[in-house]
Amino acid sequence: MKIIKSFNVLNRELNFNKNIGFVPTMGSLHKGHIYLIKKAKFKLRKVLVSIYVNPTQFNEKKDFNRYPRNIDKDISILRKLGVDYVFVPNNNEIYNKGIKRKIKISKKDKVLCARRRIGHFEGVLAVINRLLENINAKFMYLGEKDYQQIFLIKKYLQNKFKTKIVGCKTIRNKNKLPLSSRNILLNKKSLKNSENISKILYNFKRRITYKFSDSKLLESYLLKIKLLCDKVEYFEIRNSQNLSKKFTKKNFKIFIAYKQGNVRLIDNF
Ligand code: AMP
């Protein structure tokens, strides 16, 4: 496995190899990331994983500083998985030599996390754009846990690159909580409460699937959820294709963002 820190070396190593499966991450790898990597390995000859905690997608410096990092463990996980390349750029590599123009998100798309986390997705798009410009991957694997992220990357970047974006299912623990690098920041009680929130969402989804008019019960579900966390940033049902509020029983998705202390979590069903 080759560990690469600069775009120069990366370009030399990849040498226009078009058969690359790419998995961008912020590290602190868990079974959710591993699932994406296995998908890539199954399909392609060479797999590249990037690990980069991107400062511009954090709204608060404290949140950026607190974000879990565990590079040695990550490298050993990736080695065992048989990953071919790990790209670990520093900020200088990503920002000083690249990123000429910011990709702006339209007003229409400023919903859910894009409305609450000002500048977050602009940061995500900037870094993914920079990576794709250099990697030229055949496929890029992204998790549906970050559903809006996939939606916006497809909308704003897909046309610029040949890379095909593959959305992968959310990997959850046995109590339905999506695996997330941030979960280790939760104490026992917040973890339990978050698991219960995911169970509530799961049941609400099933209920609406069974009887569509139950989507009107959103407010009563919100009350239950409020008892299990410190703050609900949003709790909404939206169209899974375009994220508008016009949904049908065939294309709806439930989205939530909430806080346990200073830890912000998201989920969707
Ligand atoms: P992150 O390191 O959190 O930026 O995530 C890197 C990639 O892994 C993103 O495409 C995420 O959507 C994906 N991912 C994170 N958690 C999960 C999960 N529990 N299941 C599936 N994919 C995930």
Side-chain angles (χ1 to χ4, degrees):
M1 185 173 82
K2 293 209 162 107
I3 300 169
I4 300 169
K5 294 187 176 162
S6 73
F7 282 118
N8 274 345
V9 177
L10 186 70
N11 292 334
R12 209 167 53 228
E13 280 291 335
L14 300 185
N15 196 17
F16 302 105
N17 185 340
K18 295 208 164 52
N19 238 339
I20 301 277
F22 173 43
V23 183
T25 82
M26 297 206 295
S28 259
L29 303 177
H30 51 67
K31 287 185 180 140
H33 300 113
I34 292 172
Y35 179 73
L36 306 189
I37 294 164
K38 286 189 171 161
K39 279 246 163 194
K41 265 207 83 78
F42 184 72
K43 187 134 189 164
L44 293 141
R45 233 173 271 152
K46 298 273 179 204
V47 174
L48 184 148
V49 175
S50 66
I51 298 178
Y52 178 60
V53 185
N54 173 28
T56 65
Q57 70 186 70
F58 287 82
N59 304 89
E60 289 171 39
K61 187 120 206 282
K62 267 195 212 150
D63 189 28
F64 170 71
N65 290 336
R66 237 189 344 247
Y67 195 83
R69 292 158 171 89
N70 209 337
I71 191 74
D72 294 339
K73 190 166 166 225
D74 289 347
I75 298 283
S76 108
I77 291 173
L78 296 175
R79 236 186 256 288
K80 279 192 199 126
L81 287 169
V83 163
D84 301 277
Y85 308 104
V86 188
F87 185 49
V88 278
N90 60 22
N91 291 336
N92 197 36
E93 193 64 27
I94 295 286
Y95 285 105
N96 281 10
K97 297 178 204 156
I99 306 192
K100 294 148 212 134
R101 199 165 46 87
K102 241 184 162 179
I103 299 163
K104 278 205 164 172
I105 292 171
S106 73
K107 218 171 156 195
K108 188 167 144 259
D109 289 326
K110 294 216 164 141
V111 299
L112 303 172
C113 287
R115 194 158 94 81
R116 271 74 178 191
R117 299 186 73 187
I118 307 298
H120 165 70
F121 286 117
E122 279 86 354
V124 171
L125 291 174
V127 79
I128 294 291
N129 186 55
R130 177 97 171 105
L131 291 167
L132 287 183
E133 272 172 354
N134 284 276
I135 291 167
N136 236 318
K138 189 162 187 180
F139 293 98
M140 174 166 71
Y141 294 82
L142 300 172
E144 286 186 353
K145 193 205 129 218
D146 300 281
Y147 194 87
Q148 190 176 16
Q149 174 168 281
I150 302 188
F151 173 80
L152 293 173
I153 289 175
K154 279 190 176 164
K155 181 158 180 179
Y156 289 91
L157 295 181
Q158 183 142 275
N159 291 341
K160 288 181 72 181
F161 301 99
K162 292 214 171 88
T163 306
K164 191 170 175 327
I165 291 156
V166 184
C168 301
K169 72 174 180 188
T170 302
I171 304 300
R172 297 172 181 275
N173 74 8
K174 65 177 191 309
N175 293 318
K176 301 246 173 323
L177 183 71
L179 299 185
S180 162
S181 308
R182 291 177 193 271
N183 291 354
I184 33 176
L185 301 174
L186 298 172
N187 61 31
K188 239 180 171 178
K189 184 166 168 251
S190 314
L191 179 70
K192 187 104 230 106
N193 285 342
S194 303
E195 289 173 339
N196 285 333
I197 290 176
S198 289
K199 284 181 193 162
I200 289 174
L201 294 187
Y202 172 75
N203 288 328
F204 189 29
K205 170 88 184 215
R206 282 182 47 156
R207 198 162 166 178
I208 304 173
T209 308
Y210 184 68
K211 186 167 161 229
F212 186 61
S213 59
D214 278 356
S215 58
K216 296 201 180 77
L217 298 175
L218 193 79
E219 283 304 316
S220 69
Y221 274 83
L222 175 62
L223 292 179
K224 290 193 214 183
I225 289 170
K226 276 187 171 166
L227 298 174
L228 295 167
C229 62
D230 294 308
K231 189 180 173 202
V232 177
E233 268 191 18
Y234 61 76
F235 177 50
E236 296 181 31
I237 307 176
R238 287 188 174 258
N239 182 310
S240 57
Q241 302 304 306
N242 56 22
L243 299 189
S244 78
K245 282 195 164 164
K246 283 194 191 130
F247 57 87
T248 68
K249 65 177 174 202
K250 290 218 173 89
N251 66 17
F252 77 94
K253 221 175 206 322
I254 306 169
F255 294 90
I256 193 167
Y258 60 95
K259 283 189 121 176
Q260 300 289 19
N262 49 29
V263 184
R264 185 180 186 275
L265 298 171
I266 55 171
D267 197 359
N268 67 77
F269 264 104

